Every structure is written in C-alpha cells, then in structure tokens.
Amino acid sequence: MNLHKILTGSFLCLAGFTFGQANLLNAKIPEEIGMKTEAQLLLDNDKPLEYGYVDDRDIMFSKMVWEKIVLDERVNFPLLYPIENNLGDNRKPLFEVLYNAIQTGDIPQIYADSYFREARTLKEIETAMSYSAITDEGINYLNANNISNAELDENPSLLPEEYMIVERITSADITEYLIKGLWYFDKRQGEMKYRLLAIAPTAPEAQFKNSDNPENRKPIALFWVFFPEARDVLHNAKAFNNKNSAMPMSFDHLLNSRRFNSYMYKEENVQGDREVNEYVTDNALMQLLESDRIKDKIRNFEQDMWSY
C-alpha cells in the first residue's frame, strides 16, 4: 500500500469522527445534539476529497459504461433507507437528499438524459412525480352540484377528497439508481481508475405505480444529475453505517468508493450506445452474463498491461 492510499485512508477515518452525532455526549438539551463547538468549527475541513487533475494525454484507455444499482439487494440498502422521513435531517435516503437539493437550488441543474443534452426544470419533474384525477363518482358529484371546472380550479375544496385520486412518487417507490461513469487507465499512475459522472433515481410513473400490469410499473429515470456538481450536497448527507453508527459515511464517499453492487446495462458502442437488452433479448441470465463480459473486458485490459 503506497503513501497516497495510507494518507487518504487516514483522512477518511479522521473525517468519520466529525461526521457522527456531534456533541451527543456533551449535550444538555436535545437541541444541542449535532451542534459543533467553536473549536470544532475552526478545525473543520469538511469538504469532499478533491479529484486529481487528469490530462487527456495521460489516458491510455477508457470505456464509458452505464450501470444499474438495484435497491432490493441488501448491500444497497444504505441508498434506500430510511424510506419514511421520521428520523430528522441527519438520516435521509439518497433520493430525499437529491430532491431536496434540487428544490433549494443547491443542485442548480438537472437533465433529461445521461448525455446532458436537455435540461429539465423542477416543475417538469414534479409533474412527472405526481398524478391527480377525479373519479367517476366525483364527476357525478360536480354535475349534481352544478360545479364548473373554473370554480373547481379556483376552489379545489369544493370537491371532497374521497372523490380524488392522488398519487405521488416517494422514497419508497425508488427501485433503482442508474449511474454513468468512465473507466480509464492512467498511464502516469499505472492503474485503472473509475470516475462517476452522472446518477439518476428510477421509479414507475406516478399514474401507474399501483397498476396491476407489470409493464406499466416499469421504472423510468426521473432526472439525471451531473455527479461532480452534486458532490458538496452528497458529502454533507450521511448514509447509515451498520457496522459503526459513530462513523457514518457520506453518500459522496459511498458512491465514489463503489460500496454498492451493480450490473452494467450499457456500454458506449458503435451501434449508438445500444443497451444490452436490445441485442440480448428475452433472456435475463444471458444479459447478466453479457454484463460480466463487459466487466471482464475492462478488467483484463489492466491485467494485460502487466503480462509479458
């Protein structure tokens, strides 16, 4: 283990102590929990670990890949839970962290796809994440009481809630995260590295999330975030550490260190970056094997560099 890795590990361990329940054992009242002392604030260097500069000429090989992080897997639970927002600001799922940062403007821009070609607005994603409709009984109620659509728009309380169908995407509806990243061989460092570039939560459309048809419940990407732009937000938000609650891990560290399980569903290719399921159809096992083949192709490049 070289000196760089030792120093990096030491920094992350020391940082972990400052991320825990600050002032928990010294608090006189519950409101003092989480408040840092003046001495702690002066010594605090609470920033995400900066990426090193990589010159394009230093990249000998690269491959862009897209992966799915399925939240049903136990190792990925820190990205999903808690699904109920009842534990305060210190315990939130990744989706709440991203969505709240978009609402407050801490993440200034979101996109419709992973190529960052089309920007989306907060209003657009809120429209996609919510759905409301009037039941047939509600329409009869409006007709019986001579309530027009204009009157209903001005005063929605004219229609009792039992005649409304309201659906909204919440943290519990997030089934997967899609990530886009670049594997590259740095000839100066002499090793294969990974840089995460984009992340997107997926969920069924609000209108169909309780549908009996599995095709309607197929998850879609709600929005894409350029990961480097969200690092400060993700660094300040902590994921639960099941092994040691005194040292929670930031979402930025968790994702950058790839402490999750995923499979590749797409790589950049000459066929317009087509997905695996477009050329390996109707066979989930073969699709997983194709995902492993892509991983092996990247891993073997590094291994072959040191084969004589």
Side-chain angles (χ1 to χ4, degrees), residues 5-21:
K5 291 182 178 179
I6 294 174
L7 292 175
T8 301
S10 301
F11 170 80
L12 293 173
C13 290
L14 290 173
F17 286 104
T18 64
F19 295 157
Q21 292 279 346

Side-chain angles (χ1 to χ4, degrees), residues 62-248:
S62 70
K63 175 65 74 173
M64 191 77 71
V65 295
W66 288 256
E67 301 171 78
K68 285 185 180 180
I69 304 174
V70 181
L71 298 183
D72 284 344
E73 299 185 42
R74 185 176 296 275
V75 69
N76 297 330
F77 280 179
L79 300 174
L80 173 63
Y81 290 102
I83 57 177
E84 296 180 2
N85 190 14
N86 59 355
L87 297 178
D89 293 335
N90 293 328
R91 292 279 305 279
K92 289 184 177 181
L94 178 58
F95 175 73
E96 286 291 333
V97 172
L98 292 173
Y99 188 58
N100 290 346
I102 293 169
Q103 290 177 309
T104 59
D106 292 330
I107 296 179
Q109 191 59 271
I110 53 177
Y111 302 89
D113 58 40
S114 61
Y115 298 96
F116 316 116
R117 294 173 299 196
E118 181 185 348
R120 301 191 70 181
T121 64
L122 178 61
K123 185 177 181 180
E124 287 175 335
I125 65 171
E126 286 181 339
T127 300
M129 290 173 53
S130 61
Y131 170 77
S132 61
I134 302 174
T135 64
D136 293 338
E137 293 80 4
I139 294 175
N140 294 333
Y141 178 89
L142 294 176
N143 293 334
N145 292 274
N146 295 320
I147 301 174
S148 66
N149 291 333
E151 292 174 324
L152 185 63
D153 291 338
E154 291 181 3
N155 187 7
S157 61
L158 292 175
L159 182 67
E161 292 184 1
E162 61 262 28
Y163 297 130
M164 289 291 298
I165 300 174
V166 179
E167 299 287 357
R168 183 164 182 83
I169 298 300
T170 66
S171 298
D173 300 312
I174 304 301
T175 58
E176 303 164 343
Y177 281 97
L178 308 181
I179 60 172
K180 173 188 176 182
L182 182 73
W183 284 99
Y184 65 97
F185 188 87
D186 189 331
K187 65 183 182 182
R188 283 185 178 271
Q189 300 289 336
E191 62 179 327
M192 187 74 73
K193 295 184 177 181
Y194 177 77
R195 181 69 59 86
L196 181 57
L197 298 177
I199 185 169
T202 72
E205 292 186 54
Q207 181 178 356
F208 303 113
K209 77 172 193 175
N210 294 319
S211 172
D212 295 330
N213 188 345
E215 283 299 317
N216 291 338
R217 297 199 308 272
K218 186 177 180 180
I220 59 173
L222 300 176
F223 53 83
W224 283 89
V225 173
F226 184 55
F227 187 80
E229 202 169 29
R231 290 195 66 203
D232 287 331
V233 170
L234 297 177
H235 175 75
N236 292 327
K238 310 307 175 193
F240 183 72
N241 184 348
N242 198 42
K243 295 182 179 179
N244 185 357
S245 60
M247 297 181 65

Side-chain angles (χ1 to χ4, degrees), residues 261-284:
N261 190 43
S262 65
Y263 69 92
M264 295 180 183
Y265 71 94
K266 183 168 71 168
E267 65 169 335
E268 57 179 354
N269 53 65
V270 70
Q271 292 95 347
D273 297 349
R274 64 176 180 174
E275 297 186 12
V276 169
N277 60 13
E278 293 181 40
Y279 61 93
V280 182
T281 59
D282 300 327
N283 193 323

